[in-house]
Amino acid sequence: MRIEKMKVMDHSLKLFFEHGFIQSKKPYKQVDGTILLEKINLDFCFVYLLNNNGKLGEFYGQKMTLTEFLKRYEDFSFEVIGESYGYNFAVYNGYLILPKQNDFNELSIMICYEGDMIYETDV
Protein backbone atom coordinates (compact mmCIF):
# COMPACT_ATOMS: atom_id res chain seq x y z
CA MET A 1 0.00 0.00 0.00
CA ARG A 2 1.19 3.51 -0.69
CA ILE A 3 0.40 6.36 1.69
CA GLU A 4 0.16 9.63 -0.19
CA LYS A 5 -0.78 11.92 2.71
CA MET A 6 -1.01 11.99 6.49
CA LYS A 7 -3.08 14.55 8.34
CA VAL A 8 -3.23 15.22 12.08
CA MET A 9 -6.72 16.31 13.12
CA ASP A 10 -8.22 16.61 16.60
CA HIS A 11 -5.82 14.15 18.30
CA SER A 12 -6.23 11.67 15.44
CA LEU A 13 -4.10 10.79 12.45
CA LYS A 14 -5.68 10.08 9.08
CA LEU A 15 -3.77 8.09 6.45
CA PHE A 16 -4.70 8.66 2.81
CA PHE A 17 -3.78 6.02 0.22
CA GLU A 18 -2.88 6.31 -3.43
CA HIS A 19 -4.80 3.17 -4.42
CA GLY A 20 -6.80 2.37 -1.30
CA PHE A 21 -6.31 -1.00 0.36
CA ILE A 22 -7.54 -4.59 0.18
CA GLN A 23 -10.69 -5.55 2.10
CA SER A 24 -10.14 -8.22 4.73
CA LYS A 25 -13.19 -10.26 3.69
CA LYS A 26 -14.04 -12.14 0.52
CA PRO A 27 -13.77 -11.38 -2.33
CA TYR A 28 -10.80 -9.28 -1.06
CA LYS A 29 -11.42 -6.36 -3.40
CA GLN A 30 -9.27 -3.27 -3.54
CA VAL A 31 -11.32 -0.33 -2.24
CA ASP A 32 -10.76 3.37 -1.84
CA GLY A 33 -10.52 4.45 1.75
CA THR A 34 -8.55 5.94 4.62
CA ILE A 35 -7.37 4.76 8.02
CA LEU A 36 -8.02 6.86 11.11
CA LEU A 37 -5.93 6.31 14.24
CA GLU A 38 -7.72 7.86 17.20
CA LYS A 39 -6.19 9.49 20.28
CA ILE A 40 -2.62 9.69 19.00
CA ASN A 41 0.09 10.80 21.39
CA LEU A 42 2.37 13.04 19.31
CA ASP A 43 5.00 13.01 22.07
CA PHE A 44 5.64 9.35 21.22
CA CYS A 45 5.20 9.36 17.42
CA PHE A 46 8.57 9.13 15.67
CA VAL A 47 10.01 8.80 12.20
CA TYR A 48 13.31 7.11 11.37
CA LEU A 49 14.66 8.19 7.99
CA LEU A 50 17.64 6.13 6.77
CA ASN A 51 20.00 6.30 3.81
CA ASN A 52 19.12 5.69 0.18
CA ASN A 53 17.82 2.47 -1.32
CA GLY A 54 18.27 0.13 1.63
CA LYS A 55 22.01 -0.31 1.11
CA LEU A 56 23.87 -2.74 3.37
CA GLY A 57 26.77 -1.79 5.60
CA GLU A 58 27.17 1.48 7.41
CA PHE A 59 24.23 3.79 7.28
CA TYR A 60 23.21 7.21 8.39
CA GLY A 61 19.86 8.59 9.28
CA GLN A 62 17.68 10.87 11.32
CA LYS A 63 15.11 10.43 14.04
CA MET A 64 12.43 13.10 14.19
CA THR A 65 8.96 13.59 15.54
CA LEU A 66 6.04 12.84 13.27
CA THR A 67 5.08 16.52 13.49
CA GLU A 68 8.52 17.60 12.24
CA PHE A 69 8.40 15.02 9.43
CA LEU A 70 5.00 16.24 8.22
CA LYS A 71 6.20 19.86 8.21
CA ARG A 72 9.44 19.00 6.38
CA TYR A 73 7.90 16.64 3.79
CA GLU A 74 4.57 18.09 2.68
CA ASP A 75 4.65 16.35 -0.71
CA PHE A 76 5.65 12.69 -0.46
CA SER A 77 4.51 9.14 -0.88
CA PHE A 78 5.39 6.25 1.38
CA GLU A 79 5.49 2.73 -0.04
CA VAL A 80 4.68 0.52 2.94
CA ILE A 81 6.48 -2.82 2.76
CA GLY A 82 5.82 -4.03 6.30
CA GLU A 83 3.50 -3.17 9.14
CA SER A 84 3.25 -4.33 12.73
CA TYR A 85 0.95 -3.60 15.61
CA GLY A 86 1.56 -3.86 19.33
CA TYR A 87 0.38 -2.34 22.54
CA ASN A 88 -0.78 1.18 21.51
CA PHE A 89 1.63 1.29 18.55
CA ALA A 90 1.37 0.96 14.78
CA VAL A 91 4.71 0.73 12.95
CA TYR A 92 5.00 1.11 9.20
CA ASN A 93 8.25 0.31 7.35
CA GLY A 94 9.03 1.01 3.73
CA TYR A 95 10.38 3.62 1.37
CA LEU A 96 9.94 7.38 1.22
CA ILE A 97 9.48 8.65 -2.33
CA LEU A 98 9.90 12.36 -2.97
CA PRO A 99 8.95 14.25 -6.14
CA LYS A 100 11.81 15.14 -8.47
CA GLN A 101 14.14 12.55 -6.88
CA ASN A 102 15.19 9.28 -8.45
CA ASP A 103 16.36 7.71 -5.19
CA PHE A 104 14.22 6.70 -2.28
CA ASN A 105 15.01 6.36 1.41
CA GLU A 106 14.18 3.71 3.97
CA LEU A 107 11.55 4.99 6.35
CA SER A 108 9.96 3.73 9.57
CA ILE A 109 7.05 5.49 11.21
CA MET A 110 6.01 4.68 14.78
CA ILE A 111 2.55 5.92 15.75
CA CYS A 112 1.45 5.83 19.38
CA TYR A 113 -2.32 5.80 19.78
CA GLU A 114 -4.79 4.91 22.53
CA GLY A 115 -8.02 4.90 20.55
CA ASP A 116 -9.37 2.80 17.75
CA MET A 117 -7.95 2.14 14.30
CA ILE A 118 -10.85 2.78 11.92
CA TYR A 119 -10.84 1.66 8.27
CA GLU A 120 -13.06 4.14 6.43
CA THR A 121 -14.35 3.11 3.00
CA ASP A 122 -17.02 4.17 0.56
CA VAL A 123 -18.51 0.66 0.43
Side-chain angles (χ1 to χ4, degrees), residues 9-94:
M9 22 192 269
D10 298 325
H11 303 291
S12 295
L13 178 68
K14 186 171 264 196
L15 308 177
F16 298 84
F17 298 92
E18 189 173 303
H19 302 292
F21 44 81
I22 305 298
Q23 283 184 314
S24 60
K25 58 185 177 184
K26 288 185 178 182
Y28 309 112
K29 297 186 307 182
Q30 186 162 336
V31 295
D32 290 330
T34 59
I35 294 177
L36 183 69
L37 296 155
E38 295 181 323
K39 298 182 185 174
I40 62 169
N41 186 338
L42 286 172
D43 291 334
F44 296 99
C45 294
F46 297 104
V47 174
Y48 296 87
L49 183 58
L50 303 178
N51 53 310
N52 295 346
N53 296 324
K55 295 178 183 174
L56 297 176
E58 290 186 32
F59 64 90
Y60 60 91
Q62 298 178 45
K63 178 181 179 181
M64 64 186 86
T65 65
L66 178 62
T67 303
E68 181 182 346
F69 173 80
L70 294 175
K71 286 179 186 172
R72 186 181 297 181
Y73 299 99
E74 293 180 12
D75 188 17
F76 72 93
S77 63
F78 176 36
E79 185 69 36
V80 177
I81 304 299
E83 53 190 296
S84 58
Y85 304 93
Y87 183 73
N88 292 344
F89 274 98
V91 180
Y92 298 104
N93 298 297

